[in-house]
Amino acid sequence: MIPQRLTSKLLLIGAVFVVAVVLAVVIAPRAISSAQGSETNWQTIAEQRGLTEEDLRAAVMTYTPSGALDPYVMFASGGHSGQMFVIGMPSMRLLRTIAVFTPEPWQGYGYGAGEEVLAGGDINGREVRWADTHHPALSETNGDYDGQWVFINDKANGRIAVIDLRDFETKQIVNNPLYLNDHGGTFVTPNTDYIIEGGQYAQPLGTDFAPLTDYEGSYRGMITFWKFDREAGRIDMSQSFAMELPPYWQDLCDAGKLVSDGWVFCNSINTELATGGIEAGNPPFEAGVSRNTTDFLHIINLNAAIEVYKAGNTVEIEGMQVIPLATAVENNLLYFTPEPRSPHGVDIAPGGDFIVVSGKLDPHVTVYSFQKIMDTIAAGGFETDQYGVPILNYESVLEAQVELGLGPLHTQFGPDGYAYTSLFLDSAVARWSLGAEGYRPQDGWSLISKIPVQYNVGHIAAAEGDTVSPDGNFLVSLNKWSVDRFLSTGPLLPQNFQLIDIGQEGDNLQVLYDMPFTGGEPHYAQIISADKLSAWDVYPEVGWNPLTQSVDPNAVTQGTEGVTRDGSNVTVRMTSVRSHFTPEHVEIQAGDHVTWTITNVERARDATHGFAIPFYGISLSIEPGESITFEFDATEPGVFSWYCTEFCSALHLEMMGYLTIQPE
Amino acid sequence: MSQTKLTAQQTATTSSTRRWLTWLPPVLLIVAAVLLIASIPLPYWGLVLEAPQYPEGLEVRVFVNEMTGDDDPQIDEVQEITGLNHYIGMKPLAEAATFERSIAIPGVIAMVIALGIVAFVRRRWVWLLALPAAVFPLVFLGDLAYWLNDYGQNLDPYAPLSSAIHPFTPTIIGEGIIGQFKTVAYVNTGWYLAVAAAVLVIVALLIRRVGGRATAGE
């Protein structure tokens, strides 16, 4: 008995041992190889692709897996595309094109809807449907972005647009009746009371003609202060005014903040009053405009200007109230101080206490002290220019000059007392130190480091880098040329948005990512923390009119659809839902005038329906809850099949209908 | 000596038992009535539909008298699911159990009143009035099953997806699959309260029965 038990016990132990060994032999190599595999895998890939440790760091800093969201959002001008572009950072993914001045069919902007907004940009009755957008300005509260609105100018035609960040759609375009171009916009005052629009190439104010030989006498510069009505979400022209300026080609501006709140600073590039004429043996503009060693920084007392405007000391030109230059001088609204020739950027430090000017033909940035400007103005006793504008002594307002390199253009700021300036000729971005108390006194006013960029950098944008509280972390270099950065797609090359890590101190700057940008020439961009934005997922209620941001009384509800006729006026009332329009037949006569309302009754996120009628040029984007009304004259008879242009559902192709127009 | 002592203890126990046998059933019945009333604003049953297009899922909550979506007011899930259902030819959700839903609240109130009567009125057959409350959770699920089956089986044969989705019986509790949707059906707080109420009712009736026998045995 006992030996038998022992035998069976031993057999059992033996069996367990054998099983354990078999398991170990089978599983262990797999476990080891899978551990090794995951390790060698990415290293092998990196090796095969020739990626350095720096590259891998850049990849880790920017790679954003599917479903992960970016911490920053960049609003970039779209240059002569006339649009604005919204880009997530640091992934550099294009999130949205915002149609602004130019019709855009994806958003259904200018093809049946949005006409009313676009028409705001008509100039003297003429349709102008392209623009050269330059400088986006996010709305601010107490000098910090509030994520509610963004504005942008059209340098080519002197217009301003208002975009609502609840739905990222353009709500208003205003045309400046004084000027056909504007470069010095848009910039907002610290609480978005005014949107600043400076002109650029001098012209007679309004639509008057004057020969170039009368440049000094009849050509003028201007700056316009558009009143923004936050409640209405619109610019209020009846509360807006402009100031006449000498024809010095005012270039860029910035609004003062904190200590300098109530003041506005602009630079100018043609104090020479050059009028070109290379063909007549005159110096070309490029030489004539750059002859003097200095131009004038304009210092404008906005608060005092508002008082003068409210007192009615203005003249009306083409419907715009304008403070004449002589009135501005008389009321101490305008001062000049010299600045290095052909300056470009004028950027106010986060504390509002320093004004940084970059003369693009001078290797320095020039820093003016707001306090010294105030002291110098208080001291009085100025020389004046030929238009009688007082000129503040350069030495008495200068705080510092820092030599950075060739072609300094624009400056942005970090949270740590660093400033960043683009160097166009060097194709580099300089990090330098603001030496004042409250910034980086330990480093003094000095150049810290430079990082090459590819190539020809214009503006730069740092995260919230022009507000009272910059974030640092990331900076984007908006490069005009990309040359060899991307695969060739023919002789027209994209620009290059280059993401730079500015999160570390000293000379630790690294280019992280190149994003080809094909919208048009990027000018300025602003970068806002994503958590400040709160866009709607769908329109708040069914029947929403995005122009009024309220339910449209004309919206169609399910069950009340139909086609009605009153003489030759036909009204179509339609709803859309996956996957049909109601009604599906619209039968009318040639010669009818059609008023057609479509309400998208969907509530699901992303359940947008498009609507296109061939030949008649209708292309709508009807987002969930949205109601759109469009009109057209049924001039041509025929059979027109309309359809949904968004692939909305499995039965998207079936989401169509017939518009039949009988001959008269 | 010892026997007398034991008898005294037994007598004490019997009288205290008799006391709680008397007051416990009404208390249980009243608690059951309160639970039933409390269950009215709570969902009895829920269904979550999960699909790639709806990363947050679509949730329908069924109450005794209504169907709603989840707390997120942005999207009306009932309308959304009805919209989706037309692809498979299913009838609109709003048309389901309209009669049952219309009498649900008066019905619950009637059951509550009946429980009150059973609690305080002691007649021979009065306990029958408590039966509806005792079987209510099962009746609810049974009716739900009837309607789910009715909706699942009676699909429009001409619906767009009729060749892919054939008539089916939806699950009452647990997971299922319809098209690209994974469905998760579950009973919710309101139903659990109704079950608790039913258990209390049954316990109360049983106690009363035992108490009745004890009294009769004396």
Side-chain angles (χ1 to χ4, degrees):
Chain A
M1 285 293 277
I2 292 167
Q4 239 178 22
R5 260 192 214 161
L6 201 68
T7 316
S8 58
K9 251 187 191 173
L10 282 174
L11 273 174
L12 189 71
I13 292 167
V16 168
F17 181 75
V18 168
V19 168
V21 167
V22 168
L23 281 176
V25 168
V26 173
I27 293 170
R30 287 194 189 169
I32 292 164
S33 77
S34 78
Q36 276 180 343
S38 65
E39 200 179 313
T40 49
N41 217 3
W42 63 265
Q43 283 178 334
T44 310
I45 293 166
E47 214 165 283
Q48 282 166 352
R49 297 192 64 203
L51 300 179
T52 65
E53 208 164 296
E54 281 271 281
D55 297 335
L56 294 173
R57 180 179 180 275
V60 171
M61 284 200 71
T62 54
Y63 175 68
T64 306
S66 180
L69 305 178
D70 287 305
Y72 286 106
V73 176
M74 175 162 68
F75 289 84
S77 111
H80 42 307
S81 70
Q83 318 293 44
M84 188 186 283
F85 294 87
V86 185
I87 295 154
M89 286 174 51
S91 74
M92 302 306 279
R93 296 180 292 195
L94 179 63
L95 302 177
R96 171 87 195 240
T97 304
I98 304 176
V100 187
F101 293 101
T102 307
E104 201 283 315
W106 166 57
Q107 290 156 88
Y109 185 67
Y111 299 93
E115 316 277 3
E116 195 181 327
V117 177
L118 283 162
D122 290 355
I123 302 172
N124 298 328
R126 176 182 282 271
E127 278 190 9
V128 179
R129 292 292 182 268
W130 80 280
D132 188 6
T133 58
H134 266 53
H135 308 111
L138 287 157
S139 59
E140 295 179 7
T141 299
N142 298 324
D144 218 349
Y145 301 151
D146 57 33
Q148 294 183 1
W149 306 90
V150 62
F151 313 97
I152 197 160
N153 67 317
D154 165 20
K155 160 173 162 158
N157 303 290
R159 300 179 295 175
I160 300 277
V162 177
I163 296 155
D164 189 335
L165 293 180
R166 285 174 290 185
D167 59 1
F168 284 54
E169 288 193 356
T170 306
K171 302 300 174 189
Q172 186 185 24
I173 297 174
V174 293
N175 172 47
N176 194 322
L178 300 177
Y179 239 60
L180 275 172
N181 66 86
D182 64 18
H183 188 269
T186 50
F187 304 94
V188 296
T189 52
N191 283 305
T192 322
D193 299 315
Y194 288 94
I195 304 160
I196 299 164
E197 181 195 23
Q200 189 172 44
Y201 305 129
Q203 64 173 73
L205 296 184
T207 49
D208 285 351
F209 167 80
L212 276 162
T213 47
D214 192 20
Y215 184 87
E216 201 176 321
S218 296
Y219 285 54
R220 285 293 176 268
M222 73 89 196
I223 183 166
T224 300
F225 301 100
W226 294 101
K227 180 80 180 123
F228 185 61
D229 179 346
R230 217 184 255 261
E231 282 295 301
R234 297 288 187 276
I235 286 170
D236 183 356
M237 181 148 176
S238 73
Q239 302 283 312
S240 305
F241 67 97
M243 187 189 289
E244 181 188 8
L245 297 172
Y248 291 161
W249 292 16
Q250 289 73 27
D251 183 54
L252 272 166
C253 304
D254 201 358
K257 49 198 169 205
L258 300 176
V259 292
S260 54
D261 189 0
W263 292 76
V264 172
F265 306 88
C266 300
N267 49 33
S268 61
I269 55 179
N270 187 14
T271 46
E272 295 85 350
L273 303 180
T275 55
I278 189 172
E279 65 284 1
N282 296 328
F285 277 114
E286 60 170 318
V289 164
S290 321
R291 197 158 41 192
N292 296 351
T293 52
T294 58
D295 286 297
F296 285 135
L297 172 66
H298 293 38
I299 301 158
I300 297 167
N301 187 341
L302 174 58
N303 282 347
I306 293 168
E307 294 307 312
V308 169
Y309 157 68
K310 285 187 173 161
N313 293 330
T314 53
V315 295
E316 188 177 317
I317 301 174
E318 313 266 343
M320 175 68 85
Q321 298 299 322
V322 182
I323 300 174
L325 183 52
T327 309
V329 171
E330 214 172 280
N331 289 279
N332 306 316
L333 306 184
L334 178 65
Y335 301 91
F336 291 154
T337 193
E339 54 185 353
R341 69 170 78 178
S342 300
H344 205 35
V346 49
D347 300 289
I348 317 294
D353 40 5
F354 297 106
I355 299 117
V356 179
V357 168
S358 315
K360 57 183 183 274
L361 303 177
D362 179 284
H364 299 90
V365 282
T366 303
V367 183
Y368 300 85
S369 154
F370 180 72
Q371 188 53 50
K372 288 182 182 175
I373 289 171
M374 290 298 105
D375 293 345
T376 308
I377 288 173
F382 321 109
E383 287 179 34
T384 59
D385 79 332
Q386 60 193 300
Y387 293 94
V389 181
I391 302 170
L392 310 183
N393 180 275
Y394 176 62
E395 276 74 28
S396 52
V397 295
L398 181 72
E399 179 70 25
Q401 276 204 313
V402 185
E403 186 170 345
L404 300 181
L406 297 178
L409 294 186
H410 304 285
T411 300
Q412 293 272 290
F413 302 93
D416 39 18
Y418 284 136
Y420 301 87
T421 299
S422 53
L423 302 171
F424 182 83
L425 298 176
D426 276 354
S427 275
V429 172
R431 167 186 265 178
W432 54 281
S433 159
L434 295 163
E437 217 38 64
Y439 294 99
R440 259 193 119 73
Q442 69 272 31
D443 286 333
W445 296 96
S446 66
L447 171 68
I448 304 290
S449 176
K450 283 203 270 188
I451 180 166
V453 293
Q454 290 73 35
Y455 305 89
N456 292 359
V457 53
H459 277 274
I460 52 177
E464 310 217 341
D466 62 1
T467 69
V468 295
S469 63
D471 276 17
N473 300 328
F474 297 108
L475 178 143
V476 175
S477 176
L478 306 168
N479 304 322
K480 310 290 187 187
W481 283 19
S482 60
V483 191
D484 58 357
R485 293 292 105 171
F486 306 111
L487 281 175
S488 174
T489 53
L492 179 63
L493 271 64
Q495 279 83 25
N496 185 9
F497 279 13
Q498 218 162 19
L499 181 71
I500 297 171
D501 170 25
I502 57 166
Q504 302 176 87
E505 294 222 330
D507 58 3
N508 291 306
L509 296 167
Q510 188 191 351
V511 170
L512 299 175
Y513 194 79
D514 285 19
M515 175 196 178
F517 183 75
T518 60
E521 192 195 316
H523 292 274
Y524 190 38
Q526 285 184 329
I527 299 165
I528 182 173
S529 179
D531 58 20
K532 287 186 180 174
L533 297 169
S534 49
W536 290 325
D537 291 339
V538 297
Y539 279 110
E541 290 175 59
V542 172
W544 202 260
N545 180 342
L547 256 194
T548 60
Q549 296 292 35
S550 61
V551 173
D552 194 327
N554 197 34
V556 186
T557 51
Q558 280 177 302
T560 67
E561 303 95 337
V563 182
T564 52
R565 169 180 292 279
D566 176 15
S568 63
N569 289 316
V570 172
T571 303
V572 181
R573 296 177 57 72
M574 179 177 268
T575 59
S576 65
V577 70
R578 281 161 290 167
S579 310
H580 56 271
F581 295 102
T582 309
E584 292 187 327
H585 298 164
V586 173
E587 290 153 345
I588 60 172
Q589 310 281 324
D592 285 344
H593 178 77
V594 187
T595 306
W596 194 316
T597 301
I598 310 179
T599 303
N600 182 359
V601 300
E602 298 275 7
R603 298 312 286 150
R605 197 174 178 188
D606 215 351
T608 294
H609 293 295
F611 180 82
I613 304 179
F615 177 78
Y616 282 102
I618 303 297
S619 171
L620 309 179
S621 169
I622 325 165
E623 287 105 55
E626 187 174 1
S627 188
I628 296 178
T629 299
F630 64 96
E631 296 182 38
F632 67 98
D633 289 311
T635 51
E636 303 298 318
V639 174
F640 306 88
S641 48
W642 78 67
Y643 71 102
C644 171
T645 46
E646 283 274 347
F647 208 112
C648 59
S649 62
L651 294 168
H652 156 74
L653 292 180
E654 288 78 358
M655 190 165 175
M656 63 83 68
Y658 279 105
L659 166 69
T660 57
I661 306 178
Q662 273 192 9
E664 273 182 277
Chain B
M1 278 262 295
S2 64
Q3 261 192 348
T4 320
K5 204 178 178 183
L6 264 173
T7 314
Q9 270 179 350
Q10 271 177 334
T11 313
T13 313
T14 312
S15 72
S16 77
T17 307
R18 205 183 297 147
R19 231 177 290 136
W20 68 254
L21 283 178
T22 315
W23 64 255
L24 192 56
V27 169
L28 294 179
L29 289 167
I30 294 305
V31 171
V34 169
L35 288 176
L36 271 182
I37 288 178
S39 77
I40 291 177
L42 295 172
Y44 269 53
W45 184 79
L47 178 69
V48 177
L49 298 178
E50 293 169 5
Q53 299 86 344
Y54 297 94
E56 288 165 17
L58 291 171
E59 183 180 0
V60 185
R61 293 175 186 171
V62 171
F63 298 73
V64 286
N65 65 327
E66 62 171 351
M67 273 177 278
T68 69
D70 61 18
D71 295 328
D72 176 10
Q74 181 177 296
I75 183 165
D76 179 350
E77 282 83 354
V78 176
Q79 192 190 325
E80 187 70 18
I81 291 170
T82 298
L84 292 169
N85 280 349
H86 90 270
Y87 291 114
I88 61 170
M90 189 179 275
K91 291 177 285 188
L93 293 187
E95 292 172 15
T98 45
F99 171 71
E100 292 92 321
R101 286 189 281 135
S102 70
I103 63 158
I105 289 184
V108 171
I109 292 170
M111 283 190 280
V112 165
I113 293 170
L115 290 181
I117 294 172
V118 177
F120 297 111
V121 180
R122 300 207 59 176
R123 293 274 158 74
R124 192 167 178 196
W125 296 106
V126 87
W127 65 273
L128 285 173
L129 287 175
L131 276 188
V135 298
F136 176 55
L138 287 178
V139 170
F140 176 88
L141 279 193
D143 191 52
L144 183 75
Y146 165 78
W147 281 106
L148 284 174
N149 192 53
D150 178 62
Y151 267 55
Q153 291 298 329
N154 296 309
L155 300 181
D156 178 357
Y158 299 105
L161 284 174
S162 57
S163 54
I165 313 276
H166 301 292
F168 63 102
T169 303
T171 46
I172 306 170
I173 295 170
E175 294 184 4
I177 287 179
I178 312 166
Q180 82 270 37
F181 284 90
K182 180 184 154 194
T183 65
V184 184
Y186 59 96
V187 284
N188 212 334
T189 330
W191 188 80
Y192 285 120
L193 289 190
V195 167
V199 168
L200 291 181
V201 167
I202 291 164
V203 169
L205 293 182
L206 288 177
I207 290 173
R208 229 177 224 175
R209 190 162 165 74
V210 172
R213 271 188 195 154
T215 318
E218 263 182 39

